[in-house]
Structure formats: structure tokens, C-alpha cells
Amino acid sequence: MLTIRNLCKTYPNGVRALTDVSLDIPNGMFGLLGPNGAGKSTLMRTIATLQEPDSGTIRLGELDVLADKMTTRSLLGYLPQEFGVYPKVSAEAMLDHFAVLKGITHRGERRELVAALLRQVNLYDARKRKLGGFSGGMRQRFGVAQALIGNPKLIIVDEPTAGLDPEERQRFLNLLAEIGERVVVILSTHIVEDVSELCPRMAIIAEGRVRLSGEPRETIRALEGRVWRRIIDKGALHEYQERFTVLSTRLSGGATLIHVLADSLPEAGFERIAPDLEDVYFGQLHQAATARAA
Ligand code: ADP
């Protein structure tokens, strides 16, 4: 269990990236969902001991993460947003090098580990190929192999599916899901489907604050009966946004489909629908924006 309490961070330029962030993150996949600029990377880098918060505490079980960085790093697997590789080095040689850096000095042990990891992420057949020739998806899977060296107890994956095509993305998510229940895996993303397909628990973060946390199913249930759909003229969108809480807008065969949040029928022509995680997410972003405007 990772326990985050009252984390605050303001950058020297005055940007307040985290405000009083508290989260309980159990073993298993945890989705941290938020738009660009929400503070996800700041939080991920802070947990990964790559930067300091202004205040607050982080514990991994009994371990004080911010006080004992060396121990934390030995238990951590981190896949950053931009995973840089040496383009001319083969996957196998690069992974071997990372294993040396992680302190696995015995050659035979390392060879077995590297082979096992390459198999796990389905890159064994590509092991002799240079990393520069890898696709985005292969590169991300290589990043996972690298993050798994040394049996981490805490795995942090920052925006991993951005730029992947649908097939690569699915493969990548399946791989994460397999990593297991005995470790904490935090998946930071702005893609709702990454969370709804994969994460038994999640939090929504916007403008540096945790807006909501829990099980996706529970958060969806809280919106039951309050989400309405209507097809409108494109030109009328602005008017609807003035009058109602418009959660989302979608073009559908030349028409504009909107979802509206309301306790009762907004007006004739709306149809009640079963809410999904996207409605939950956009509802929270809407609330955050309203709170800021007030
Ligand atoms: P996310 O990962 O959700 O996109 P970030 O944590 O990267 O969010 O950014 C949160 C806010 O902090 C943004 O407004 C961003 O511009 C700002 N920010 C991030 N890193 C720095 C930095 N090193 N210096 C100043 N501002 C930063």
C-alpha cells in the first residue's frame, strides 16, 4: 500500500502543481486520470524520488519514501513519459546494461533475467535488433522490461499509451495487467479507456487537486440517473453550454451529440442514458473549472 498525505508543490515560477494531495493506493493497478497540466507527472516524479515536494509525506508500507530515497529506488520501477534509448544498441544489450546498473552483477543470473524479461514483454524475437528501429509500442514494452528489473514493489508508468496505435496500446495494457497483484502499479494517463479497461481503483486529478478516488464502478454508480443525451444542431451548442452542464460533445454522422448532467429531465428531447467513466471524468473536470471561475 502506498500512502500519500497532504502533498503540496509550487514550482519556482509560481505554478502550483499539487495542492494537498492525499491518496491510498493498494496493490494492483491504480489509474491516475487527469488532463494535461493536471499535475500527474509532478506527482509521479515525486513518488519516484526524482523531485521534492514542498510538504507532505509518502509511505510505501512502513517505508518513508521521501526520507529514505535509496531504499525506495531499490524497490521502484519507473517508466517515464519520454523513455529515451540509445538507438544503436540492441534490446538485449541495453537491458543487460540496465541490469548492471540495478546491481545484478552475476553474469549468468543477468543473462537469464534479461531473457525472461524479453519473453515477458514479447520482445524476445526482436532482442538482437537495434532499439532505434523499434516502433513506439515496442519501445514502451522495452520500457516495461527495464522497469521490471529487480522485482520492484512499486511500478510507475507515466502516460504510456500516448502515441501508440490501438493494437500496440492493447498489447501494452495487457502486459501491465499481467504484472500482478502483489505490487503497486500506478498508471498515469489522460485517456479514460486506459483506466476503465484496466484499473480496479483510480483517482481523478485536475489542477493539482484530487477530485475523486475510488472504484470506477462506484463512481459511475453515483451518476446513475443523472446523465442525459440529446442530438442538437451544431450551431446551438453554445446555447446548451450556457443553460446546462454539458459533459461532452461528439460529432455523430454530421449531427452533434451532447451528454448533459442534470438531476431531472433537462428539457423535452433529452433521453436518459447509463453513465460511463467518461461522464464521471468530464463531470469532475467541469466542476473543477466551475470552482475556478467562481
Ligand atoms: P501533467 O503530467 O498532468 O500534464 P505536470 O505535472 O507535468 O502535469 O504539470 C503540472 C503543472 O506544473 C503544469 O502547469 C506545468 O506547466 C507545471 N510544471 C511542470 N513542471 C514544471 C517545472 N519544472 N517548472 C515549472 N512548472 C512546471
Side-chain angles (χ1 to χ4, degrees), residues 11-13 15 17 34-43 45 81 158-159:
Y11 284 108
N13 64 0
V15 171
N36 286 331
K40 302 183 297 298
S41 289
T42 300
L43 181 57
R45 289 197 303 261
Q81 206 163 355
D158 199 358
E159 297 266 0

Side-chain angles (χ1 to χ4, degrees), residues 12 28 42 64 69 79 84 109 150 154 164 207 223 241 254-255 259 265 289:
T42 300
D64 184 335
K69 295 195 172 57
L79 177 55
E109 183 190 343
L154 170 62
L164 300 191
E207 300 178 19
L223 283 190
Q241 282 170 330
H259 284 195
L265 181 72

Side-chain angles (χ1 to χ4, degrees), residues 48-273:
T49 75
L50 298 172
Q51 67 178 61
E52 290 285 336
D54 299 329
S55 57
T57 58
I58 306 175
R59 287 184 172 277
L60 180 62
E62 295 296 299
L63 174 70
D64 184 335
V65 165
L66 299 172
D68 193 350
K69 295 195 172 57
M70 289 310 284
T71 308
T72 301
R73 285 171 196 166
S74 72
L75 299 172
L76 174 77
Y78 179 51
L79 177 55
Q81 206 163 355
E82 301 277 320
F83 183 66
V85 291
Y86 294 96
K88 296 197 170 146
V89 179
S90 75
E92 189 175 49
M94 191 78 221
L95 208 51
D96 184 77
H97 175 68
F98 281 129
V100 173
L101 294 181
K102 277 258 178 168
I104 302 166
T105 50
H106 189 278
R107 236 173 137 189
E109 183 190 343
R110 217 163 57 231
R111 197 179 307 132
E112 276 178 29
L113 173 70
V114 165
L117 286 170
L118 287 167
R119 284 205 183 86
Q120 188 175 353
V121 302
N122 208 3
L123 287 175
Y124 189 76
D125 291 343
R127 67 191 181 283
K128 304 286 184 202
R129 282 170 55 186
K130 293 191 170 69
L131 291 165
F134 273 19
S135 70
M138 291 168 85
R139 205 175 286 208
Q140 287 299 61
R141 282 185 278 132
F142 179 82
V144 171
Q146 160 282 133
L148 288 175
I149 296 170
N151 281 325
K153 294 284 167 286
L154 170 62
I155 297 173
I156 293 174
V157 202
D158 199 358
E159 297 266 0
T161 61
L164 300 191
D165 66 39
E167 195 189 327
E168 282 182 329
R169 177 177 161 273
Q170 202 51 55
R171 268 181 115 166
F172 181 81
L173 293 179
N174 290 343
L175 172 63
L176 281 188
E178 280 167 16
I179 287 174
E181 291 293 301
R182 280 169 300 124
V183 298
V184 175
V185 183
I186 306 177
L187 169 70
S188 132
T189 183
H190 64 273
I191 301 170
V192 176
E193 291 82 23
D194 285 356
V195 175
S196 53
E197 289 170 18
L198 206 61
C199 300
R201 298 186 67 82
M202 62 136 197
I204 293 173
I205 179 170
E207 300 178 19
R209 291 175 193 270
V210 175
R211 305 284 320 178
L212 168 157
S213 71
E215 297 175 20
R217 232 177 313 147
E218 272 174 26
T219 66
I220 292 168
R221 202 174 304 137
L223 283 190
E224 206 69 64
R226 299 172 60 213
V227 180
W228 308 79
R229 172 171 72 182
R230 179 168 197 187
I231 289 172
I232 61 167
D233 283 339
K234 203 166 106 204
L237 178 60
H238 187 71
E239 181 211 325
Y240 276 86
Q241 282 170 330
E242 299 258 288
R243 289 167 58 212
F244 303 111
T245 301
V246 176
L247 295 175
S248 61
T249 310
R250 198 166 297 160
L251 281 178
S252 156
T256 298
L257 180 69
I258 59 172
H259 284 195
V260 159
L261 182 67
D263 290 334
S264 57
L265 181 72
E267 67 175 21
F270 275 93
E271 162 194 20
R272 201 197 313 254
I273 54 166

